[in-house]
Amino acid sequence: MKRVLLALLLMTNIGIAFAESGVLVAITAYDGRKSSEYYGLISQGKYDAITAGLTEYAMVKVDDVFWINSEGKKERMSTTHRNGHRFGYTNTIFVREDYITRIVILDQKYLDKLIEE
């Protein structure tokens, strides 16, 4: 019985660790005005749901959001500024599923080589 319990705990722990890391993606969304592309992490479950079919009015939580600026450097959403003014954004956004036009899994090795601004 103890071995079964230990095995279940280990399997649960592995599942939680995988779910926390998520899938690193680029999401392009069109909100009626223009298309925007965001890089970030979404949960494995949400990725599976999106690629199976988009749900109207459902939201996707994207964590650790960044983009690659014109200089080829990673720029976190939380560091976004204009004219010396910081906006106070966090690194989390929500995108409506039915606005998603493209979702691509990103190469972590490539992104690790980029310099953070």
Side-chain angles (χ1 to χ4, degrees), residues 26 32 35 39 60 92 106 114:
S35 289
Y39 298 120
V60 177
T92 301
L106 298 174
L114 294 176

Coordinates of all heavy atoms in Angstrom, one line a residue, residues 26 32 35 39 60 92 106 114:
A26 N 4.3 31.3 -29.5 CA 4.0 32.6 -30.0 C 2.5 32.5 -30.4 O 2.1 31.6 -31.1 CB 4.9 32.8 -31.3
G32 N -9.7 42.8 -34.2 CA -10.6 43.6 -35.1 C -9.9 44.9 -35.5 O -10.4 45.6 -36.4
S35 N -3.4 42.8 -35.9 CA -2.9 41.6 -35.4 C -1.7 41.9 -34.5 O -0.9 42.8 -34.8 CB -2.4 40.7 -36.5 OG -3.5 40.1 -37.2
Y39 N 4.8 36.4 -27.2 CA 5.5 35.2 -26.9 C 5.3 34.9 -25.4 O 5.2 35.9 -24.6 CB 7.0 35.3 -27.1 CG 7.5 35.6 -28.5 CD1 8.1 36.7 -28.9 CD2 7.2 34.6 -29.5 CE1 8.6 37.0 -30.2 CE2 7.6 34.9 -30.8 CZ 8.3 36.0 -31.1 OH 8.7 36.2 -32.4
V60 N -7.5 32.8 -22.8 CA -6.2 32.1 -22.7 C -5.3 32.9 -21.8 O -5.1 34.1 -22.2 CB -5.5 31.8 -24.0 CG1 -4.2 31.1 -23.9 CG2 -6.4 31.1 -25.0
T92 N 1.8 39.0 -17.6 CA 0.7 38.1 -17.8 C -0.4 38.9 -18.6 O -0.7 40.0 -18.3 CB 0.1 37.6 -16.5 OG1 1.1 37.0 -15.8 CG2 -1.1 36.7 -16.7
L106 N 7.6 27.5 -29.7 CA 8.9 28.2 -29.9 C 10.1 27.3 -29.4 O 9.9 26.4 -28.6 CB 9.0 29.5 -29.0 CG 7.9 30.5 -29.4 CD1 8.0 31.7 -28.4 CD2 8.2 31.0 -30.8
L114 N 19.2 34.7 -27.0 CA 18.9 36.1 -27.2 C 19.2 36.8 -25.9 O 19.1 36.3 -24.8 CB 17.4 36.3 -27.5 CG 16.9 35.7 -28.9 CD1 15.4 35.9 -29.0 CD2 17.7 36.4 -30.0

